[in-house]
Amino acid sequence: MTAAPVWSVDPRTGKRREQVAQEASPEDVDRAVRAAHGTRAALAERPARASLLRTAARLLDEAREEVVETADAETALGAPRLTGELARTTAQLRAFADIVEEGGFLDVHIDHADATRTPPWPDLRRWKVPLGVVAVYSASNFPLAFSVPGGDTASALAAGCPVVVKAHPDHPATSELCASLLRRAAAEEGLPEDVVVLVHGFDAGVALVGHPLVAAAGFTGSVRGGRALYDAAAARATPIPFHGELGSLNPVLVTEAAAAERGEEIGAGLAASMTLGTGQFCTKPGFALVPEGAAGDGLVKALTEAVAGAPGGVMLDHRMREAFLAGAAERAALPGVEAPVAPGPDGDHAVAAGFLTVPASRLASGNTHEALLEECFGPVTVVARYGSEDEAVTVLRGLPGNLTATLHLGADEATGADGRGAALLALLTPLAGRVLVDGWPTGVAVAPAQHHGGPYPATTSTSTSVGATAVERWLRPVTYQSTPQALLPPELHDDNPLGLPRRVDGRRVPAVGGDVPVERGDPRADDPGELGVVPG
């Protein structure tokens, strides 16, 4: 059977640009995974991994013009947005290089033998080791930061895991270009190019998650596609971890006090956030609870003006465009739903932003409007008008898991004096992995304390795909008991030859200068910077 061609398509016209590859057969996937698996020993040395990540960042930066031009031609996201995304991507690669060198992610614990305990303790030494080959499924809406050179790939390589990436069909040429740069970086550092391998095709993605040498997977995409792969990963003879980001409504709660004090500002901010990137951010606020009455009316008026003035935009592909138009129309047709600004087509290829309103009582009384509580990918949001705080709380308690939840408070509520602000924050906390106050969720800082994940269906695990702790997804702990030091890796030797931050006999020790336990009360015990530990 002849392999199907993989075409690069211009979303601005719907026309094919060029054939860039062929879909991988099962045999191709098997070869790709086995090739990646064969590079595990080469990735065992931390200095080599750090150098690989830094060289990859440099090569991507040097190819900035070509990378941005290629990605824009396939996604219509625009050069300014993609230039920023590339900068984020290369910064992330360098950040993981720092994490690899610092070594705290290995989580080394040493408990010396202690015969005085009841029962006695043997000598125990624990650290984390890489899982093996990681399958990475690229996202449509971030062709760089959540695709071939993105956070899943960077964190897996940092952990010492080779990667097989399944390219997204919306940007195959960008994927090929970025994969070639990562492979070139490996070659420049004396590593096998197959530490990163790229495959194309839907069937390849299915075969990849089932391959016996694949040890874990990272996915960013739809609930339907992610859940199918998650189930396949769990159904294997040997199940594997599947870290999937699937879908998120990202609810916003605006209190009556906040609407009264700055309704116009909040309405304009909501419009800017939900239309950013043509509504194709995974953190787009897709649902907002706004009070009834004059204060809420002012907010909705500002939202109406801002959304009506927003320019139309091209979505990532025509299939997504049609799904957006159908989903928005379905929601607008529900009883009690109005469209102050109707989302819809804008010419033959673009879409116009809009938003819908509905009484919150419609959502609190049953599931006839459940579609309004599901993500609609694209530039649309739902504003539910609530008549009482109890009504808003009832709606919130019925929401699924999310990446983010946002709370807008009045000035007095934000002081915490009456406890209402804290109570509302506590109400939102079970809903999401990141909770914001008086801000907007679009934009995910790549910082050590970041968490990009949330309760299902936002993600399929409790891990984050952004930030320093993303590396933990691709590691597993191993403890050695009563093992001669001559047989142990140097990371677990008493003299700490690599200068790692560790815990010895339950106490943190400095990263440099050997394992001298930090006494309780020593200020360094609570100062991660002093101990060389990456915060977060």
Side-chain angles (χ1 to χ4, degrees):
M1 181 182 295
T2 303
V6 175
W7 293 92
S8 173
V9 176
D10 183 349
R12 294 179 173 96
T13 64
K15 295 181 179 179
R16 291 174 173 174
R17 297 177 60 246
E18 59 177 335
Q19 181 182 341
V20 298
Q22 292 182 325
E23 293 189 356
S25 66
E27 294 76 19
D28 294 331
V29 173
D30 180 62
R31 282 191 292 270
V33 174
R34 292 185 183 281
H37 187 262
T39 70
R40 290 174 303 143
L43 283 176
E45 297 298 323
R46 285 190 298 124
R49 303 204 298 268
S51 296
L52 166 62
L53 293 165
R54 287 203 174 90
T55 299
R58 174 177 60 79
L59 293 178
L60 284 162
D61 280 338
E62 290 174 353
R64 178 184 296 108
E65 185 174 338
E66 182 182 7
V67 170
V68 169
E69 181 180 356
T70 303
D72 180 52
E74 293 187 307
T75 65
L77 289 173
R81 147 73 194 272
L82 290 164
T83 299
E85 185 180 334
L86 179 59
R88 166 196 170 136
T89 302
T90 57
Q92 188 165 244
L93 287 162
R94 294 185 177 97
F96 277 113
D98 292 341
I99 290 165
V100 171
E101 289 179 335
E102 184 271 338
F105 73 99
L106 296 172
D107 196 24
V108 176
H109 288 247
I110 296 176
D111 291 320
H112 291 104
D114 187 348
T116 67
R117 291 181 178 267
T118 305
W121 280 11
D123 186 272
L124 300 169
R125 297 166 188 251
R126 179 185 187 272
W127 72 328
K128 291 182 178 179
V129 299
L131 290 174
V133 177
V134 170
V136 171
Y137 293 81
S138 295
S140 62
N141 55 340
F142 282 86
L144 305 173
F146 283 85
S147 293
V148 175
D152 284 351
T153 296
S155 58
L157 292 174
C161 296
V163 173
V164 179
V165 184
K166 188 271 180 186
H168 195 280
D170 279 352
H171 38 78
T174 307
S175 299
E176 286 284 341
L177 173 58
C178 290
S180 71
L181 292 169
L182 295 183
R183 289 169 64 85
R184 180 177 146 199
E188 287 192 12
E189 294 302 326
L191 294 168
E193 292 186 349
D194 288 336
V195 296
V196 176
V197 186
L198 184 70
V199 296
H200 297 265
F202 175 85
D203 291 340
V206 175
L208 190 56
V209 79
H211 197 286
L213 294 181
V214 168
F219 171 91
T220 303
S222 69
V223 173
R224 181 180 178 184
R227 183 55 194 256
L229 292 171
Y230 173 76
D231 290 346
R236 290 171 37 139
T238 303
I240 60 172
F242 183 90
H243 301 285
E245 180 190 322
L246 310 187
S248 184
L249 193 62
N250 304 304
V252 178
L253 172 61
V254 182
T255 68
E256 186 169 3
E261 293 172 13
R262 48 192 178 88
E264 184 175 343
E265 174 190 333
I266 294 172
L270 176 56
S273 187
M274 53 81 61
T275 60
L276 186 65
T278 319
Q280 297 173 115
F281 277 60
C282 52
T283 53
K284 178 200 78 175
F287 181 78
L289 280 158
V290 174
E292 295 176 354
D297 291 345
L299 187 158
V300 172
K301 180 176 183 293
L303 176 64
T304 301
E305 293 172 353
V307 173
V314 175
M315 296 191 69
L316 293 161
D317 64 35
H318 281 58
R319 175 185 57 82
M320 290 184 188
R321 178 180 184 269
E322 293 306 313
F324 164 72
L325 295 175
E330 174 195 355
R331 289 161 173 80
L334 292 170
V337 175
E338 297 181 355
V341 181
D346 183 12
D348 293 333
H349 305 289
V351 296
F355 75 97
L356 311 175
T357 62
V358 65
S361 57
R362 292 272 188 175
L363 306 174
S365 61
N367 60 6
T368 57
H369 287 58
E370 60 185 6
L372 298 177
L373 303 181
E374 297 172 357
E375 180 184 19
C376 184
F377 193 70
V380 65
T381 195
V382 174
V383 175
R385 304 293 300 272
Y386 65 88
S388 68
E389 189 171 295
D390 287 345
E391 193 172 64
V393 167
T394 299
V395 173
L396 286 170
R397 285 177 173 161
L399 294 183
N402 295 272
L403 294 171
T404 73
T406 300
L407 177 62
H408 282 271
L409 297 170
D412 289 343
E413 293 170 327
T415 67
D418 62 1
R420 290 189 67 255
L424 292 174
L425 194 67
L427 178 67
L428 293 181
T429 297
L431 293 177
R434 179 163 58 104
V435 182
L436 301 87
V437 176
D438 296 343
W440 299 105
T442 37
V444 183
V446 182
Q450 185 60 271
H451 186 84
H452 189 62
Y456 186 85
T459 52
T460 59
S461 73
T462 59
S463 302
T464 178
S465 60
V466 179
T469 53
V471 71
E472 296 175 0
R473 296 175 294 168
W474 321 119
L475 300 163
R476 68 178 181 88
V478 175
T479 293
Y480 295 96
Q481 179 172 327
S482 304
T483 304
Q485 287 198 47
L487 305 182
L488 291 170
E491 288 85 352
L492 299 180
H493 287 190
D494 276 339
D495 60 357
N496 196 10
L498 302 180
L500 297 174
R502 320 198 288 184
R503 279 190 179 270
V504 177
D505 296 329
R507 297 179 180 178
R508 288 194 292 182
V509 299
V512 178
D515 282 349
V516 180
V518 176
E519 298 295 334
R520 298 186 189 281
D522 187 319
R524 293 178 303 164
D526 297 312
D527 182 359
E530 177 68 18
L531 301 178
V533 179
V534 173

